[in-house]
Amino acid sequence: MAGVQTAVALREQGYAGSLTLIGAEPHQPYDRPPLSKAVLLGTAEGSALDVDFDALDIDLRLGREVTGLRPDTHELDTEAGPVPYDTLVIATGAEPLTLPGTEGVQGVHLLRTLDDARRLRPVLERQHDIVVVGAGWIGAEFATAARRAGCAVTVVEAADRPLAGALPAEVTRPMADWYAESGASLLTEARVAAVEPGAVVIAEGTEADGEVRRLTAGAVVVGIGARPATGWLAGSGIGLGPDGSITADAQLHTTLPDVYAVGDCASFPSRRYGRRLLVHHWDNALQGPRTVAANVLRALQGAEGEPPLTYDPVPYFWSEQFGRFVQYAGHHEGAGTLIRRGDPAADSGWSVLWLKDGVLAAVLAVGRPRDVTQGRRLIEAGARLDPARAGDPGVPLKAAVA
């Protein structure tokens, strides 16, 4: 998404020169969200992006992995030989984390690419007993699809709750009930000790007094996170953060001349939140390219007096899981006040707000899309909310501005 949108934005903003888009996968560039839904369930064969690359005069080179970057000669190393560049935009995305000890074990799957989804489709059709490792966003979405296909599903999570790395306990606690409601089994504080053909061995409880259990598994799906796909940049001199992300600046320029980075592979400094953000979500891959394209063109044209565009979005993502539409906007870390709108135990739709010094910093909504639409605008505006009115689910968020 990030690479395609950057190429399209360059054309839309007036760039008429040579434009090459390189991708490691052989498939026509595609959208990822349907992979855990329609493609996985067989209601769609693919999710190719609706872009006419020929009409845009984009040289699309597919099935070509880039293996290195040589900034001194302005060249990329690929399996088919070197490719020169004047300006380079890196949009290599992220790659899923693998479960140690599962390399080469039959029946262990990841879900990141179109090929991954196609390999998993017959697994769901045969209604295998499936063990999902990880109760994060992708684990929940896959479990949802597997239950819809009629599979028996057990989700194994090392933390004490779902989404432990993404949201605080007071927010995720009611989400644990969604698994049982769907017919899936959720095992928390459970560590994978081994994966064997047809089984997953887990250890529950503490290491001192834990118990070992063996789960039948016709297939194992690992969803324990992703990391920026930047290993190929070793030795290039490009700046990387501790998380492996390319440390782009506020204009999405990297530490190398004529090289930019956008999407899941790059972090950027957010003045709004006072910290560097690494956002692994679809909206970032859609919004960032417009900024990077404008700044590339400005640099190529030598624009004087015009300041470069700064990328400082309000992060946004959504997830469809267990019959619920979950949306999130903003960044809640460091926000001191949590406000609930609705009761998760009694209401089909509810929201959570985070305020920092009275200013809205983030909003999460389950089945209340209007709260996120309005909340995102209020975050962009730096709006201060009246806590009492903001906590009343009957009051529109825009009417709760102090």
Side-chain angles (χ1 to χ4, degrees), residues 111-123:
L111 179 52
R112 179 74 182 183
T113 68
L114 179 59
D115 287 336
D116 290 337
R118 287 176 173 171
R119 279 190 290 266
L120 277 165
R121 187 188 297 175
V123 173

Side-chain angles (χ1 to χ4, degrees), residues 65 92-98 110 112 225-232 264 280:
E65 185 174 357
T92 46
E95 54 194 7
L97 297 175
T98 58
L110 300 170
R112 179 74 182 183
R227 59 169 172 255
T230 56
W232 64 279
D264 290 6
H280 281 187

Side-chain angles (χ1 to χ4, degrees), residues 175-258:
M175 296 178 176
D177 297 333
W178 299 353
Y179 289 79
E181 291 173 10
S182 76
S185 175
L186 173 64
L187 304 180
T188 57
E189 296 185 286
R191 304 178 306 281
V192 175
V195 177
E196 305 167 351
V200 174
V201 181
I202 63 169
E204 296 179 293
T206 65
E207 294 188 13
D209 58 1
E211 296 183 359
V212 174
R213 291 176 58 186
R214 183 179 298 272
L215 305 175
T216 300
V220 179
V221 177
V222 178
I224 56 175
R227 59 169 172 255
T230 56
W232 64 279
L233 290 166
S236 68
I238 200 166
L240 300 178
D243 53 12
S245 67
I246 299 170
T247 52
D249 64 15
Q251 289 76 47
L252 300 180
H253 194 272
T254 74
T255 56
L256 295 179
D258 305 318

Side-chain angles (χ1 to χ4, degrees), residues 261-308:
V262 66
D264 290 6
C265 67
S267 61
F268 57 89
S270 172
R271 184 173 61 180
R272 184 190 315 277
Y273 292 105
R275 65 186 67 202
R276 181 168 286 276
L277 299 181
L278 175 61
V279 181
H280 281 187
H281 294 295
W282 183 90
D283 191 67
N284 182 48
L286 178 69
Q287 303 296 338
R290 298 167 188 169
T291 298
V292 79
N295 289 332
V296 166
L297 284 174
R298 181 183 179 280
L300 291 174
Q301 296 165 356
E304 296 182 2
E306 298 179 12

